[in-house]
Amino acid sequence: MRHGFTTGSCAAAAAKAASYMLLTGKEKKTIQIITPKGIPFDAQICNILRSEDRVSCSVTKDGGDDPDITTGADVYATVSFGAKGVVLKGGVGVGKVTKPGLDQPVGESAINRVPRQMILSEVQEVMAFCDYQGGLTVEISVPQGVELAEKTFNPRLGIVGGISILGTTGIVEPMSKQALLDTIRVELSQQKALGYPVACVSPGNYGQAFMEEAFQYDLDKSVKCSNFIGDTIDMVVELGFEKMLLTGHIGKLIKVAGGIMNTHSKEGDCRMELLSSAALLSGGNLQVCRAILDSVTTQEGVRLLKEAGILEETMAYVMKKIMFYLNRRGAGKLEIECMMYENESGLLGKSEGALSFLEICKKM
């Protein structure tokens, strides 16, 4: 699959080209930068506007084969003369940080650390090449950024007014696992910086209506760990939390009862086998267990358990196994509680301290 280049790489390339055109007076239609990963980026320079004291140009974001919503957006750099050194700021469509715990402090433009370093390095290289001793002001903007930001995590993270200029390698790798893990870490770090005593985690928003109706809890308050339950526990420990609440649908959490900490189907899909074995150990007969194994969804499995009159016993056993593996992953460094539900049947199981943790999460 074809890789792409980050908004950080686009911003650095545009800033380099604009600086070159301002200081040399020559137009530049292409420019090359070397990404932090060591891969060259040969960028096409577009939308060039030049005057004696200011140059603006853009690079169009290409995310490669990754389904990135910023692909096709124009990342602009406007470079003008300044007092001394290089001053970097965000313009239209680049978000502002309003909550602590993110890559940049509150009040700063959401241009992350590595892209900042890339932009400054490229501009300083041009200044050295031109033997320019004065100062430059670099403004990064993304005209489509305000609209695009609504489709990202930014509003949830407290980044307002636009997208973030991102990237640690300069490269966009298709469907990058690391990108998902980085997002989880950012959200957990923000909870920690805000002083949350409990890390509130959920695989996703499936079951949101149930949680709101039954417990008046908005799942949007939880960090979405997707399939990465084990990695998320590791991060929670690393960030210094002492408590964690995991709430989720049985379709994901049943896998944890088998010690599966990455619940993606390609890593392991034994939902019905685990549910069937739990039913057997909870008094289910052969007919019920076979019917569960033949089921396609955990929802159907729950219905069969209910009809057999062993739902409560089976869910108690499943929760016991889930807590065993959660606590094993936490390795005694974290107090973990868990709630498991299903949309039609509601709450299926909870650990002993789950509701007390939930009350804390509701107040955060």
Side-chain angles (χ1 to χ4, degrees):
M1 298 180 78
R2 187 173 64 90
H3 69 253
F5 294 92
T6 63
T7 48
S9 289
C10 294
K16 183 176 185 178
S19 300
Y20 179 87
M21 288 187 277
L22 181 65
L23 296 181
T24 66
K26 300 176 182 178
E27 190 167 278
K28 194 74 171 170
K29 294 287 186 72
T30 63
I31 201 109
Q32 185 184 87
I33 67 168
I34 305 299
T35 62
K37 196 166 185 176
I39 296 174
F41 177 28
D42 294 299
Q44 299 294 314
I45 306 304
C46 307
N47 300 306
I48 299 170
L49 291 174
R50 298 165 59 197
S51 67
E52 288 187 4
D53 61 355
R54 181 184 299 265
V55 172
S56 176
C57 65
S58 70
V59 172
T60 302
K61 165 71 184 296
D62 179 4
D65 288 331
D66 189 75
D68 189 332
I69 60 102
T70 59
T71 289
D74 291 319
V75 181
Y76 281 78
T78 300
V79 179
S80 56
F81 290 112
K84 190 176 181 181
V86 181
V87 176
L88 176 60
K89 59 183 183 179
V92 173
V94 174
K96 287 279 188 183
V97 178
T98 65
K99 292 182 180 180
L102 299 176
D103 183 273
Q104 294 297 305
V106 171
E108 284 289 339
S109 297
I111 304 174
N112 279 12
R113 179 181 57 84
V114 173
R116 282 177 182 269
Q117 292 172 347
M118 292 170 67
I119 294 165
L120 294 176
S121 176
E122 298 297 344
V123 172
Q124 288 164 353
E125 180 184 317
V126 173
M127 292 169 68
F129 174 78
C130 297
D131 195 26
Y132 175 67
Q133 305 298 319
L136 294 176
T137 297
V138 180
E139 181 180 277
I140 305 300
S141 59
V142 185
Q144 296 168 261
V146 176
E147 179 183 351
L148 291 174
E150 296 303 316
K151 302 173 184 177
T152 72
F153 282 102
N154 277 13
R156 174 187 174 92
L157 295 174
I159 299 173
V160 301
I163 64 169
S164 301
I165 304 300
L166 300 171
T168 55
T169 65
I171 301 299
V172 177
E173 297 180 22
M175 299 300 290
S176 168
K177 171 185 174 182
Q178 190 58 51
L180 291 171
L181 291 174
D182 287 346
T183 299
I184 295 167
R185 184 178 290 275
V186 166
E187 292 201 50
L188 286 171
S189 296
Q190 188 173 60
Q191 284 196 356
K192 185 64 176 175
L194 290 169
Y196 289 4
V198 176
C200 307
V201 176
S202 176
N205 277 340
Y206 200 57
Q208 182 156 8
F210 162 71
M211 289 298 289
E212 287 182 348
E213 183 178 340
F215 297 103
Q216 295 75 56
Y217 180 67
D218 183 358
L219 277 179
D220 279 335
K221 290 184 177 181
S222 292
V223 172
K224 303 303 180 290
C225 68
S226 185
N227 296 299
F228 305 109
I229 292 175
D231 288 306
T232 301
I233 292 172
D234 297 343
M235 291 182 210
V236 169
V237 171
E238 289 168 16
L239 290 168
F241 283 97
E242 295 181 356
K243 302 176 188 291
M244 170 179 156
L245 175 65
L246 175 65
T247 59
H249 188 273
I250 185 174
K252 290 287 186 186
L253 297 192
I254 187 65
K255 297 182 183 182
V256 179
I260 297 172
M261 289 290 161
N262 182 333
T263 58
H264 195 287
S265 57
K266 72 177 183 180
E267 298 290 335
D269 187 7
C270 52
R271 293 167 300 154
M272 308 322 295
E273 289 83 355
L274 287 166
L275 197 57
S276 178
S277 63
L280 181 64
L281 291 167
S282 303
N285 60 35
L286 190 59
Q287 183 180 357
V288 171
C289 294
R290 281 179 171 170
I292 292 171
L293 283 172
D294 288 338
S295 300
V296 177
T297 66
T298 50
Q299 181 178 11
E300 175 65 10
V302 168
R303 185 188 66 79
L304 290 167
L305 290 169
K306 194 180 295 185
E307 287 181 355
I310 55 169
L311 178 62
E312 185 175 342
E313 298 91 329
T314 304
M315 290 300 103
Y317 176 82
V318 168
M319 281 302 303
K320 180 180 178 181
K321 298 297 288 185
I322 288 172
M323 292 308 299
F324 171 80
Y325 285 110
L326 290 177
N327 285 318
R328 189 170 79 167
R329 188 63 175 248
K333 300 174 183 176
L334 184 67
E335 187 179 349
I336 304 178
E337 301 291 347
C338 181
M339 298 174 65
M340 181 175 67
Y341 48 78
E342 191 270 323
N343 287 350
E344 288 190 4
S345 299
L347 186 66
L348 297 175
K350 59 180 174 57
S351 58
E352 186 176 351
L355 291 181
S356 63
F357 276 26
L358 183 66
E359 288 303 312
I360 297 173
C361 292
K362 286 164 64 174
K363 295 173 183 177
M364 297 190 314

